[in-house]
Amino acid sequence: MSLPVCRAYRSLEVFLPMGICPWATMPLLRDNFTGALRHWARPEVLTCTSWAAPIIWDGTFDPHVAEQEARRQNLTIGLTVFAVGRYLEKYLEHFLDSAEQYFMVGQSVTYYVFTDRPEAVPYMALGQGRLLRVERVQQENRWQDVSMARMHTLHEALGGQLGQEADYVFCLDVDQHFTSNFGPETLADLVAQLHAWHYHWPRWLLPYERDKRSAAALSFGEGDFYYHAALFGGSVAALRKLTAHCALGQQLDRERGVEAIWHDESHLNKFFWLYKPTKVLSPEFCWDLLIGWRTEIHSPRLLWEPKEYALVRN
């Protein structure tokens, strides 16, 4: 699609309806953390998927119910982030500072920072029940390789100490920061994040991998939503399955001499098409201010940092 057409579509997409959740599905949408969802609180947005998974929007859940349930289960929640090359100096401290303010407040949390320079990770004064672990990873020649190596590294970590310590894990990009409470209402066996730039788009316009040689390829009749690789999570077992799938797909692509258009995100979207997430987070949980004002975005939990690729990728 040409740039002028993209801009024209972007200005009109706010008028596209997102759909509504069927009344028959509503009583089924509950889990241990959110309880029954308040679909009536957000009639302007889609609050469920076709496979009866909840889409979490501000106002549809009681945060106190989720917090109490997480404490009752005595959970430990892992948060992984990769800070390689210049991403470390540019973004990591702000990311961790904001996580201490807003991520799983009052819960046991272990941060896992994967970096090529452990000695450069800033000192953090952490709250009670919160730990920071630093793991060394190799610096890759291309930023694309850093992105794609993440799935293999996460798979190994989930099979080791991270998987032994945590009950649930979230995997986030470092070039964003928390701005509001991100609590146990987000927990589920397999959690996907709607991409802020694509949640209004019809399926045929979504930027899936279309090259049939790639293990990430989806045909024009496939796909549900477009999910953002900057945020995904779930139980240790579910994430082991996800990361194994994506790492294998990337290996097969390398052997075939192809590279998916959006790298690990393309493989992530293929996985979520084959294995449906049990909870989907609305764009409020990972928002980009460059999109502009949207009436349905009430309380962003994460905001993208400005993308300074010329600085951090060279």
Side-chain angles (χ1 to χ4, degrees), residues 31-165:
D31 62 28
N32 288 341
F33 297 102
T34 56
L37 292 177
R38 307 165 179 166
H39 300 277
W40 61 88
R42 298 300 302 271
E44 81 282 16
V45 294
L46 183 64
T47 55
C48 72
T49 69
S50 61
W51 58 94
I55 304 177
I56 306 299
W57 293 83
D58 185 60
T60 62
F61 60 89
D62 184 341
H64 302 296
V65 169
E67 290 164 4
Q68 290 170 7
E69 180 60 26
R71 283 195 289 269
R72 186 191 70 79
Q73 294 188 33
N74 193 29
L75 298 176
T76 295
I77 300 149
L79 175 57
T80 72
V81 65
F82 284 69
V84 177
R86 294 179 182 174
Y87 279 83
L88 192 158
E89 289 90 355
K90 182 66 179 175
Y91 300 117
L92 181 60
E93 187 168 8
H94 190 198
F95 175 90
L96 292 173
D97 276 339
S98 69
E100 272 297 281
Q101 282 186 274
Y102 298 115
F103 181 76
M104 301 293 171
V105 175
Q107 309 296 331
S108 296
V109 171
T110 300
Y111 301 107
Y112 269 76
V113 175
F114 296 91
T115 180
D116 56 327
R117 289 176 295 133
E119 69 282 356
V121 172
Y123 169 78
M124 301 294 301
L126 302 178
Q128 183 177 0
R130 300 168 84 91
L131 300 172
L132 173 65
R133 303 199 187 282
V134 180
E135 299 288 336
R136 183 183 293 276
V137 295
Q138 180 180 339
Q139 167 71 301
E140 304 287 347
N141 292 327
R142 304 184 310 147
W143 68 265
Q144 295 95 332
D145 295 325
V146 173
S147 174
M148 291 191 289
R150 176 172 67 151
M151 291 298 183
H152 175 72
T153 302
L154 286 172
H155 184 72
E156 290 192 334
L158 288 161
Q161 186 176 21
L162 171 59
Q164 295 167 4
E165 289 184 331

Side-chain angles (χ1 to χ4, degrees), residues 203-204 208 210 212 217-224 273 276:
R203 185 168 59 177
W204 63 272
Y208 298 130
R210 301 299 187 186
K212 294 181 180 179
L218 290 174
S219 73
F220 281 95
E222 296 177 330
D224 300 303
W273 163 243
K276 309 299 188 190

Side-chain angles (χ1 to χ4, degrees), residues 158-180:
L158 288 161
Q161 186 176 21
L162 171 59
Q164 295 167 4
E165 289 184 331
D167 300 288
Y168 293 89
V169 177
F170 277 98
C171 308
L172 272 67
D173 282 356
V174 72
D175 53 349
Q176 51 192 342
H177 65 277
F178 293 91
T179 56
S180 188

Side-chain angles (χ1 to χ4, degrees), residues 7-20:
R7 287 175 175 168
Y9 190 86
R10 180 67 61 190
S11 66
L12 295 172
E13 69 179 8
V14 294
F15 300 106
L16 293 175
M18 294 185 62
I20 59 173

